[in-house]
Amino acid sequence: MRRPVAAPHAARFLAAAVAAALVVALCSLLSACAPVPHLTTEQKLADFDYLFATFRDNHPFLFLKARVEGYDWLAHEAEFREAIRQTKDNAEFAKAIWRIVSLVGNAHTAVVNGAYVSAAAGASGPWSDAAARTTVRIADYWDRLSWPSQATAIVHAIYSGGEYYVSKSSIAGLSAGARLVAVDGVPIHDYIPSLRGTRYLSWDPLRRRLYAMRLSLFAGQQETVSAENRVGAVDTFPVQGERPRGYTYFPVTPDGAVIVTRTLGAGQVGYVHVRSMTKDEADKVALRAFFEQVKDLPALIIDIRGNPGGSTPGWKEHIVGQLAAEPISVTVGMAHRPAQLAQSCVRTIFGEGRPWVSAEDLVGRNPLAKANLPPELLTDDFSEIMLYELKVSPAPDSVRYQGKIFLLVDDVVYSAAEQFAVFAKASGWATVVGSCTG
């Protein structure tokens, strides 16, 4: 069996499309009424076989995970199947499916709930087709059963600069700022990979290891935690106590505001933090008013740290279009698995008639492509690469900003926010500053 492979960076959103469509379809196989009857072993195994085959043939990141993270999801088919066979009821089955899907290690690959089914029903193509085969009630039923048992979080930590620092703790003597060293006697960086399948883990390309962006430790799940305080002393604490209140994380936006603006450097630098790529008209108006205020300043900082994404117009029309002095464009490439479901997603999103180029031709045209193109794209497991132009034109009332623009990013930048960062870097429209994006 050929190993499946990774899609290029620009195709990241396709993982969500494929995975969402297939998991919604999975929900539809389970039952057509509520409460759901308990499935037989044969029914559960049939559902698993459907899920596994769909991931195997369509998912764009399985090869990437095997090559970079060292976890070959496909090699665990027999283990997964036996875990399904051992489940005694619907709840155990749902949790087993949740773990199997989570082991892929992609934030857009998940068991969906009724809200997603409702949204998919209003779309077109494979999403609405999948949604039509289930109901909101059924999806919510399986979603509720699938979540692991909840426990009380005692310690919260943030991954920063390759280490974990306590942001909140209810353990006496373990203060914010302490560096986590070990959990239950296991060095912290060895402990984190053991969490795969229980939560989403990111990949740190600089240090070449998995990490948890926000790490929580739970009473009853972990027994001890060792931490180094600010003066270098290491102590070990029992993980017990009350749930701590709140988090410490920068940037903090007052009252959950999407847009926060101010000036820095004695009024010479404009600063705006954008919490999500919203297409809300009120946010567009607020941004436009701020850009008018700072249009003559020599520097502007756009802070999208902690921005998980949202809507593409949230950055194209609300930010770049309001600032740009002339049209800006970059050429983006996207490839997908050649199976029917992936092809259907691409046709729905992009339509027909766009130019395609083989990976070999692209490497021949551009020396940089050879260094940066995922090697899996040179195999038959992927389509040719579709090229399309990502273009932004100035709004009629653009302030035509002439100063230097800096874009701040971190590992919580995803989806439409990451698309913005890619556009800014590839076009040179802004200087991108910060850590690797999510």
Side-chain angles (χ1 to χ4, degrees):
M1 181 174 65
R2 292 187 105 174
R3 297 172 49 153
V5 295
H9 174 80
R12 182 164 298 176
F13 72 91
L14 189 58
V18 172
L22 67 91
V23 178
V24 173
L26 171 71
C27 294
S28 71
L29 295 178
L30 301 178
S31 180
C33 60
V36 174
H38 284 295
L39 303 181
T40 66
T41 298
E42 290 72 23
Q43 288 173 318
K44 290 184 283 188
L45 288 173
D47 282 346
F48 166 75
D49 290 340
Y50 171 77
L51 182 147
F52 189 88
T54 309
F55 273 53
R56 179 194 63 213
D57 297 338
N58 293 274
H59 203 291
F61 295 134
L62 299 183
F63 261 2
L64 176 66
K65 295 292 181 176
R67 174 168 59 85
V68 175
E69 299 178 8
Y71 185 82
D72 188 347
W73 189 85
L74 288 180
H76 294 266
E77 179 180 11
E79 170 198 325
F80 295 158
R81 214 166 186 276
E82 183 58 26
I84 296 296
R85 188 190 304 277
Q86 294 296 327
T87 59
K88 298 180 179 62
D89 54 30
N90 283 4
E92 289 188 6
F93 171 64
K95 286 179 171 59
I97 289 290
W98 189 93
R99 179 177 179 274
I100 289 167
V101 171
S102 298
L103 281 166
V104 171
N106 177 259
H108 277 168
T109 303
V111 177
V112 300
N113 59 21
Y116 193 100
V117 170
S118 180
S124 59
W127 298 276
S128 59
D129 293 343
R133 295 194 294 271
T134 188
T135 68
V136 169
R137 259 182 105 187
I138 295 300
D140 279 337
Y141 169 82
W142 290 106
D143 179 59
R144 284 193 301 272
L145 289 184
S146 69
W147 281 93
S149 300
Q150 297 299 304
T152 301
I154 303 303
V155 179
H156 298 289
I158 294 171
Y159 185 79
S160 177
E163 300 295 340
Y164 294 90
Y165 296 95
V166 174
S167 61
K168 199 74 175 178
S169 166
S170 63
I171 299 175
L174 181 59
S175 303
R179 181 176 69 89
L180 297 187
V181 174
V183 175
D184 291 340
V186 179
I188 189 70
H189 299 303
D190 294 332
Y191 168 75
I192 294 300
S194 72
L195 300 177
R196 192 181 193 110
T198 66
R199 67 193 71 185
Y200 173 63
L201 301 176
S202 299
W203 177 254
D204 184 337
L206 300 180
R207 300 166 185 88
R208 300 195 62 78
R209 64 184 177 218
L210 290 167
Y211 72 98
M213 292 180 291
R214 306 288 175 260
L215 176 63
S216 299
L217 302 180
F218 300 89
Q221 295 181 16
Q222 291 87 30
E223 295 181 2
T224 64
V225 58
S226 301
E228 179 184 75
N229 63 26
R230 295 175 187 270
V231 296
V234 176
D235 292 307
T236 298
F237 305 87
V239 181
Q240 59 187 24
E242 299 298 324
R243 183 196 306 268
R245 295 183 180 179
Y247 293 86
T248 301
Y249 175 61
F250 182 84
V252 176
T253 55
D255 302 321
V258 173
I259 307 295
V260 176
T261 62
R262 57 176 59 91
T263 57
L264 309 172
Q268 293 302 299
V269 179
Y271 170 91
V272 56
H273 177 245
V274 183
R275 188 172 183 171
S276 68
M277 290 304 164
T278 171
K279 58 182 179 181
D280 187 271
E281 191 64 25
D283 292 323
K284 181 179 181 179
V285 171
L287 286 167
R288 179 65 180 77
F290 176 69
F291 295 151
E292 182 67 36
Q293 175 188 340
V294 302
K295 65 181 181 181
D296 296 321
L297 298 185
L300 171 63
I301 296 172
I302 302 173
D303 188 351
I304 59 170
R305 290 176 296 171
N307 187 320
S311 168
T312 297
W315 66 266
K316 290 181 69 175
E317 299 174 12
H318 295 191
I319 299 176
V320 180
Q322 299 293 331
L323 291 167
E326 57 188 24
I328 307 164
S329 67
V330 297
T331 299
V332 177
M334 189 200 72
H336 61 82
R337 302 294 303 284
Q340 189 277 330
L341 177 58
Q343 290 188 54
S344 178
C345 290
V346 171
R347 286 196 301 269
T348 300
I349 296 170
F350 294 100
E352 306 288 349
R354 293 183 181 270
W356 294 80
V357 62
S358 71
E360 292 86 351
D361 288 345
L362 193 61
V363 168
R365 291 186 202 176
N366 185 350
L368 286 176
K370 186 173 183 179
N372 293 287
L373 202 68
E376 293 84 0
L377 295 188
L378 295 167
T379 73
D380 293 336
D381 291 289
F382 270 84
S383 69
E384 291 190 323
I385 298 170
M386 182 182 74
L387 302 178
Y388 63 98
E389 186 179 38
L390 190 57
K391 183 176 181 180
V392 180
S393 297
D397 59 347
S398 168
V399 300
R400 300 181 178 273
Y401 184 74
Q402 299 297 319
K404 288 282 293 181
I405 299 175
F406 299 89
L407 183 67
L408 305 188
V409 300
D410 68 0
D411 57 2
V412 193
V413 170
Y414 290 104
S415 195
E418 176 160 287
Q419 186 187 44
F420 178 30
V422 169
F423 174 86
K425 184 172 182 177
S427 66
W429 180 76
T431 300
V432 181
V433 181
S435 61
C436 293
T437 61

